[in-house]
Amino acid sequence: MTKSQFNIKISKDLLIRVKRQTMMSGKSLTEHITDLVSNSLLDNEIQDNHLSSVEKINNLEERLLTLESIVRNREYISQKLKPFTNSEAINCTKFMRGVFDKELEKRNFDDKFDAFDDFFQSVKVFDELNKSFSDRLKEIMLSDNPTPWTGKELNEFTAGDKCNCSIRKGLINWTGVTECPSQQEICDKGEELLSMF
């Protein structure tokens, strides 16, 4: 292996500590510093591998939440899917708003808008909402007296896949409450289910 000279300037205290460590290791100063740099580079590779592991775990979490949504909503699988009705949409609005408000209080967010941005990142894991839907979701979560979702809006939002609503999955992801009611339970009972959160 070809060697090159590498000059650096370090503080006097650090140099004394490195020399002391070198003497204790029984190596030359060059060998010891080479080992320190090599080990540092290995640590960075381990961190890079760790990041890819975190990404894999996030992907698995996303897949599990999708499966969980399908399983919890199995009543839809065996029947013809019925679109959201206006009364179901109102229940969904009250439920999602109630969960958002409870989590806002639990986490002591200083700003509702910061809380929404944090929540919205969880929704975006499952669906890239167009501007009109993201604005509408923001209005529902942040307005003092929002107009509830309509059945038509939620049917369009979910593209006919009622049991796989990305807002519900985003709430699960954001709150960490995995025992979330099924979409049909939310449609039927709305804010009655908030005690689970």
Side-chain angles (χ1 to χ4, degrees):
M1 173 170 83
T2 311
K3 294 192 176 187
S4 301
Q5 186 169 344
F6 179 53
N7 296 323
I8 59 168
K9 292 185 180 194
I10 59 174
S11 72
K12 194 173 186 174
D13 292 339
L14 184 58
L15 180 59
I16 291 168
R17 288 174 57 201
V18 169
K19 284 183 176 179
R20 190 176 300 137
Q21 210 178 43
T22 300
M23 286 180 0
M24 290 169 58
S25 73
K27 300 176 189 171
S28 71
L29 185 59
T30 300
E31 288 173 322
H32 184 63
I33 292 185
T34 300
D35 287 348
L36 288 174
V37 171
S38 296
N39 289 337
S40 171
L41 293 172
L42 283 175
D43 286 347
N44 284 340
E45 287 174 18
I46 289 167
Q47 285 178 353
D48 288 344
N49 287 338
H50 174 71
L51 288 177
S52 64
S53 296
V54 168
E55 193 173 297
K56 287 177 186 175
I57 289 169
N58 286 340
N59 288 339
L60 282 172
E61 244 179 18
E62 181 181 333
R63 290 172 56 202
L64 283 172
L65 277 173
T66 299
L67 286 172
E68 183 269 345
S69 277
I70 292 167
V71 170
R72 278 196 171 264
N73 290 283
R74 63 189 171 275
E75 63 264 28
Y76 293 118
I77 296 170
S78 60
Q79 306 170 26
K80 186 178 185 313
L81 290 176
K82 293 181 180 160
F84 285 98
T85 64
N86 283 332
S87 63
E88 288 178 334
I90 289 168
N91 281 341
C92 289
T93 303
K94 289 177 180 177
F95 175 81
M96 65 180 65
R97 174 64 186 257
V99 171
F100 179 80
D101 288 343
K102 279 188 155 211
E103 192 67 15
L104 180 74
E105 190 177 308
K106 189 189 307 179
R107 292 201 207 176
N108 293 320
F109 277 99
D110 292 330
D111 184 322
K112 250 181 146 173
F113 291 92
D114 289 343
F116 177 80
D117 290 342
D118 192 52
F119 160 66
F120 193 63
Q121 293 307 310
S122 292
V123 175
K124 283 172 55 174
V125 167
F126 304 102
D127 194 1
E128 282 295 325
L129 306 183
N130 67 35
K131 179 149 175 45
S132 65
F133 280 126
S134 60
D135 287 347
R136 186 75 172 96
L137 180 60
K138 190 172 194 172
E139 173 199 336
I140 284 170
M141 296 304 205
L142 299 179
S143 295
D144 289 333
N145 193 15
T147 304
W149 290 107
T150 64
K152 182 180 178 186
E153 284 177 313
L154 287 182
N155 289 320
E156 188 180 329
F157 175 74
T158 59
D161 192 2
K162 186 177 181 182
C163 68
N164 233 344
C165 177
S166 58
I167 298 172
R168 177 182 170 275
K169 291 193 289 186
L171 285 169
I172 293 169
N173 194 18
W174 190 55
T175 61
V177 176
T178 54
E179 292 297 316
C180 185
S182 72
Q183 186 64 58
Q184 189 58 52
E185 289 174 288
I186 295 168
C187 287
D188 294 340
K189 298 179 182 174
E191 60 192 340
E192 292 175 37
L193 301 167
L194 292 176
S195 60
M196 299 177 79
F197 291 82

